[in-house]
Structure formats: structure tokens, C-alpha cells
Amino acid sequence: MKRHLAWRASLVGVAALLSFLYILPSIPGFSPLPAWWRYVRPLIFAPPPEPISLGLDLQGGMHLVLEVDVEKAVEIAVERRVAEIQGAVEEEGISVARLERRGTRQIFLEITEEKARGAVERILGNYPEMARSEEGRTQFLLTLSGREVAVIQEQAVEQNVEKIRNRVDEFGVREPLIQRQGDRRIVVQLPGIKDPERAIKLIGKTALLEFKLVDERSRDRNIVEEALKGKVPEGAEILYEKVLDPQGRVVDRIPYLLEKKTVLTGDVLTSARVQFDPDTNEPVVAFALDRAGARIFGDVTGKNVGRRLAIVLDGNVYSAPVIQNRISGGRGQITGRFTPDGARDLAIVLRAGALPAPVDVIANLTVGPSLGQDSIRAGVQASIVAGILVVSVMTFYYRLAGVVANLALLLNLVMMLGILAGIQATLTLPGIAGIALTIGLAVDSNVLIFERIREELRLGKTVRSAIDTGYSKAWVTIIDSHITALITAMALFLFGSGPIRGFAVTLGIGILINLFTATVGTRVVFDWMTLRGMKRLSI
């Protein structure tokens, strides 16, 4: 028996010590861990301890519901096909009278010579997902199929979830929740966010980067003025550069007459990072292009030396520097009177990539840190009051055995928090409710065991025999109740979401720990007492 007691006591001691070590960073004054931790670290085959993550309801933050503009995603996909067809007919030398998108799902193509019809049909044959109809010998109308529309919309939502997750990860938010909701909505929860407006801008920015040449006709001031009045020359468009004051407010807008054709997009970016201009000491975003992008960029800049190349992000001109010479190597920089945070956010969205479809914020709930602190304070107060009551009742009713049960409850709580820190789970208010329910189950288990022991003692059995029989008789009932609760927790985890899952996680972990502390932890103490020669049990 001594040998069994030794390994069970060792098991309880190691579990308690490990749990305590993992709780340490969450205790004020112990983060980062003390210097002696480096001697313990090699003994632990698990991730180093981190402070317990608090959920949105405990530390404050943002809850956003975004809606993806899936129709815009379809429109962008059709526009991309228009550009592809444009490139293909130019490559074939086919003269085109008109090539344009109609609505969000159709493309209209009109060629000038009927003899090119065969070549056009070959090109359009590369788009089987678009139903073709003819409006004449030289006119073609392509319509995107319903199945392809559904695929594009589905992919747009999934890709938006992934892009937003990448941006949030790079932003440095810990334990964010980003998940799809329904056909076109995305739920984003960002615990601990201190600047909600900045976060919304970072997440909601489409980040479509384009390089466009400034139209040569803009040298004529009259043409620009006419364009500003609505008479934009064919093949051109008016976009603006925002002029910001030191506080980041828009104080002016500079119009640019740009060629409508995009010479390069941000798809070819391989990196983007913040640098400081050595001349102005202002932050700029330096970027690098992949091999194909670098080749196109070199060709464009080489053919247009002396012209201005506008860098456009989401329809806004950031800068339009004059091309001094051919830029080879695929490297450049974006200037735009950035603040350091603005430059960093732009670099993040460029690295994460453009959203395939814009998103609208349809719900924005900001939970202040004071509300989270109030929740924590109320939870701690309730736990202390409940703990004092439970400890008092158990000690008063079961005396020494009650003290043992209280130690088991403390061990239960320490192991629970240690495991939550170890698996880096997020603690939320529903999670605290799960812990409270677990403590109730732990008390109930000890009561079951102690009442069986009492019955055996009344029958005149020895302490050793009463303890053995009491644990044996209570075992079946404890297992039955815990398995039932565990199945409930598993069902909540599988079919629930968000806070319900948090509740299920703490409840499930707590049930397993309770089984250990109630049947092993307290038993170790009682066995040790009987081995020390205890003849009468205070229970």
C-alpha cells in the first residue's frame, strides 16, 4: 500500500506543481517569469506558460459583423475576364469595336471584321463557364452561368475570411475570433483592442493596389477642368489624392486624370514594409514585386520615362511620382504623408493581400475595458463569497474530512486554471460559469464519498475499512454523474459556438479534473492518515 500511496502522492504533487507553474504568469508580478524558471523549463515537455487569455467580455474589445459584397465579387470576376479577352484579341491582332461588361454578369464584344470571327470563337471557347449568344455576325454576348456565380460568391466569402485573419494576425491581436456566419457574413471579435477605428480601417480596407499612368491629356488644364465637370475623356478617369494634416484629417483633395487601364496590380507583390525616407524622414512603404511583376514594371517604366505613374489604393491616389528612368529589380516605394501607424497598417494589408470583395460593417459593438474589469471584479467577488460559504459549510459539517475536501477544491481550481493556461484557451464569462459549476460537482462528489464513509463507520467498521468501502460504493455514482455531465459538455462543444463552446471547454476539463481530485487527491490524504495510525476519523 505504501508503494501505491507513494506514486499516487507523487502524481498529485506533480500535477499541482505543474498547474501552479502555468498559473504563475497570470499572477500580477510574475510576468515575465522569475529567473529560476530556466531551471524548471527543461523538465516540462509542453509549451512555456503564458498568461491566461481573457475573452472579449472580460478584457474589452470589439465585436464586428461584416457583410461581404458578393455581387461586387462577381462583377470583379467578370471585369477580370474582360481584361483577359482584351489581351487575347490584341495578341491576335483583332480589331475590336466594343468590349465591355454589361451589368454584373455579362460581357459584350463587337469586332469590326467578320473574317476574324473564327479567331474570336477560339478565344471565347476558353470560357466555358460563360454561356455565349450572338447578337449579330460580329457581336457576341457572354453570360456567366449561375453555378459559376455561386462558386465565385462562395470563394469570395472564404477568401475574405482568410485575408482578414492574416491581417488581424499581423496586427498582433491575441486570441481573435474570425469565423463565417451564414452565406455572406463574417464575425470578427478582437479582445483587448484599444483603437477600434484603426482596427476597422485595417480590416475593412479592400487594399486593391493598382499602378496607372497619368493621362498625357492632363497637361491641358482645360481638359482636366472639363473632366472634373463630368466630361471625362474616353479611356480615362478622375481619381483623387487626399491631403492630410498632421492629425490625419483630410484637408484637401488633388484630382488626377489617369488612364483607365491598369498597368499592374498588387497581386504581384511579394513583400511590403515600412521604411523612413532619408530626405524627409517620413515613413514610406517599400515594396518588392515577383519576377513577372518586376518584368512588367521594368517594361512600363522603361517605355514611359518622363511620365507620371500613379499608385492607387482602393480608388485613392497615394502618390504619382515622375518616372526618371527604367526601374528594374521590381522594387519601389509608396509615399503619401503617412503617420507611422498608417504606414504600418498599409504594409500589413498589402502583405496580406487585397480582399476579393469589399465588406460592409453592419454591426459594431465595442466592449470597454471598464465593463470587462467590472465583470472580472463581480466574478471574483462572487467566487470569494461562494468559496467562503462552501469551505465553511464543509468544515463545519465534515470537520477534518471537510478540510481535506476543501484542499481538493483548491487543487481542482489550480489544475483547472493551469490547464487553461497550458492549452492557451480563452477565459470568458461563460467559462467562469463552467468553473463554478465544476466546483459544485466537486463538492457533490466529496459529499457522496463522505456520507458512504459515515454509514460504514456507524456500522462499526474500522477507519481503514470504512474509507475503502466508502470510496468503493460512491465510485459508481460519481462515475455515472460525471459521464452524463461530460456527454453534455461534449454536445455543447460540438453543436455550440463562441461563448457556449467556452462554457463547454471549462466544464469538460473541470469534470475530468474533479474525477482525479475527488477519487485520487482526497484518497491520498486519507490513506496517508491511516498509515500514520489514525484510529478515529473526524467526519
Side-chain angles (χ1 to χ4, degrees):
M1 180 176 175
K2 283 185 178 178
R3 192 177 60 185
H4 288 166
L5 177 61
W7 74 258
R8 279 185 289 147
S10 301
L11 186 62
V12 173
V14 169
L17 179 62
L18 281 178
S19 301
F20 180 71
L21 288 174
Y22 271 88
I23 295 174
L24 264 185
S26 304
I27 301 174
F30 285 92
S31 183
L33 287 168
W36 53 261
W37 165 253
R38 65 177 184 273
Y39 300 110
V40 181
R41 177 69 187 93
L43 305 177
I44 300 177
F45 301 99
E50 295 281 345
I52 296 175
S53 300
L54 301 180
L56 188 70
D57 47 2
L58 292 181
Q59 65 168 317
M62 293 181 62
H63 173 92
L64 297 173
V65 179
L66 310 172
E67 186 165 275
V68 181
D69 187 351
V70 291
E71 288 300 320
K72 187 67 178 178
V74 176
E75 184 181 313
I76 293 172
V78 173
E79 283 284 5
R80 191 178 302 120
R81 286 167 171 77
V82 170
E84 290 172 2
I85 293 171
Q86 176 77 47
V89 294
E90 286 180 357
E91 193 172 323
E92 292 281 343
I94 300 171
S95 177
V96 174
R98 199 159 24 145
L99 174 59
E100 61 187 13
R101 173 178 55 81
R102 283 187 176 176
T104 57
R105 305 181 182 189
Q106 291 184 322
I107 298 174
F108 178 74
L109 170 64
E110 181 180 3
I111 55 178
T112 57
E113 298 175 346
E114 187 177 345
K115 64 180 182 182
R117 180 181 177 84
V120 171
E121 286 181 342
R122 278 199 312 276
I123 293 171
L124 300 184
N126 295 325
Y127 301 92
E129 73 280 8
M130 302 195 78
R132 196 173 74 199
S133 56
E134 299 175 8
E135 296 188 344
R137 295 295 295 170
T138 57
Q139 296 176 334
F140 304 86
L141 183 65
L142 303 177
T143 304
L144 203 61
S145 68
R147 173 182 283 187
E148 185 65 16
V149 169
V151 169
I152 292 171
Q153 293 177 340
E154 175 73 14
Q155 289 178 345
V157 178
E158 289 296 329
Q159 289 172 356
N160 270 26
V161 170
E162 193 60 34
K163 299 285 185 184
I164 290 173
R165 180 173 289 120
N166 291 339
R167 290 181 185 184
V168 170
D169 287 345
E170 293 218 24
F171 194 50
V173 179
R174 193 177 176 199
E175 297 293 332
L177 170 69
I178 301 159
Q179 65 182 22
R180 182 173 178 170
Q181 183 183 67
D183 292 337
R184 58 179 64 184
R185 291 186 177 178
I186 301 171
V187 175
V188 180
Q189 290 188 349
L190 305 176
I193 282 290
K194 301 292 189 301
D195 190 347
E197 291 300 322
R198 183 183 169 198
I200 290 176
K201 287 181 182 176
L202 177 77
I203 293 171
K205 188 177 287 184
T206 306
L208 176 60
L209 180 67
E210 299 171 289
F211 296 87
K212 296 189 175 192
L213 287 166
V214 175
D215 197 297
E216 292 280 24
R217 291 168 288 188
S218 63
R219 297 176 189 275
D220 188 335
R221 186 63 195 167
N222 293 328
I223 292 179
V224 175
E225 289 178 356
E226 288 296 318
L228 291 174
K229 293 176 182 175
K231 296 180 180 178
V232 182
E234 187 176 353
E237 62 181 345
I238 288 284
L239 295 178
Y240 293 87
E241 177 186 355
K242 295 177 182 176
V243 180
L244 308 177
D245 65 7
Q247 286 73 42
R249 294 172 298 196
V250 179
V251 294
D252 196 7
R253 298 171 75 218
I254 302 174
Y256 285 90
L257 184 66
L258 305 179
E259 290 185 1
K260 207 167 186 176
K261 181 182 177 183
T262 300
V263 297
L264 202 63
T265 67
D267 296 343
V268 295
L269 250 68
T270 57
S271 71
R273 57 193 173 88
V274 179
Q275 289 182 340
F276 284 86
D277 191 310
D279 298 326
T280 62
N281 203 32
E282 290 183 346
V284 299
V285 178
F287 61 84
L289 308 176
D290 62 17
R291 185 176 298 176
R295 180 180 55 78
I296 297 172
F297 198 62
D299 291 344
V300 170
T301 52
K303 293 176 183 174
N304 295 282
V305 173
R307 292 186 62 182
R308 301 181 72 182
L309 180 66
I311 302 170
V312 182
L313 184 72
D314 291 344
N316 295 308
V317 178
Y318 270 72
S319 56
V322 177
I323 303 171
Q324 302 291 350
N325 46 46
R326 183 179 187 274
I327 302 174
S328 58
R331 294 185 179 276
Q333 65 180 32
I334 303 173
T335 58
R337 300 183 181 91
F338 296 114
T339 62
D341 282 345
R344 177 172 172 264
D345 292 349
L346 178 59
I348 288 174
V349 297
L350 291 178
R351 283 198 300 269
L355 298 182
V359 294
D360 296 320
V361 179
I362 61 172
N364 177 9
L365 175 64
T366 301
V367 181
S370 59
L371 181 58
Q373 287 300 320
D374 290 344
S375 301
I376 294 174
R377 193 178 303 112
V380 169
Q381 288 173 350
S383 302
I384 291 174
V385 172
I388 292 173
L389 288 175
V390 169
V391 167
S392 301
V393 170
M394 291 296 287
T395 306
F396 175 76
Y397 196 70
Y398 292 108
R399 289 169 284 185
L400 178 60
V403 174
V404 175
N406 291 334
L407 291 175
L409 285 182
L410 180 62
L411 177 61
N412 195 317
L413 189 60
V414 169
M415 290 181 65
M416 165 70 79
L417 296 178
I419 290 179
L420 287 179
I423 64 175
Q424 298 185 354
T426 301
L427 184 62
T428 61
L429 276 178
I432 292 176
I435 294 174
L437 181 58
T438 302
I439 291 175
L441 285 170
V443 173
D444 188 47
S445 302
N446 286 310
V447 169
L448 280 172
I449 295 170
F450 293 170
E451 288 301 322
R452 299 293 84 76
I453 294 175
R454 271 183 167 181
E455 289 173 359
E456 299 303 317
L457 290 173
R458 289 193 195 103
L459 293 174
K461 291 188 176 179
T462 62
V463 172
R464 176 73 262 161
S465 176
I467 291 174
D468 289 342
T469 309
Y471 272 93
S472 177
K473 286 186 175 179
W475 171 256
V476 175
T477 308
I478 291 173
I479 288 291
D480 181 59
S481 63
H482 280 63
I483 287 180
T484 307
L486 191 60
I487 291 173
T488 305
M490 291 172 65
L492 288 174
F493 183 80
L494 290 175
F495 300 106
S497 63
I500 297 176
R501 280 194 160 192
F503 174 79
V505 167
T506 53
L507 179 61
I509 294 172
I511 289 168
L512 296 175
I513 293 174
N514 186 42
L515 270 177
F516 176 74
T517 56
T519 59
V520 179
T522 56
R523 184 71 183 269
V524 165
V525 179
F526 286 128
D527 288 348
W528 176 77
M529 288 177 176
T530 54
L531 280 175
R532 298 277 296 178
M534 184 176 65
K535 300 298 181 184
R536 183 174 177 276
L537 178 60
S538 176
I539 189 169

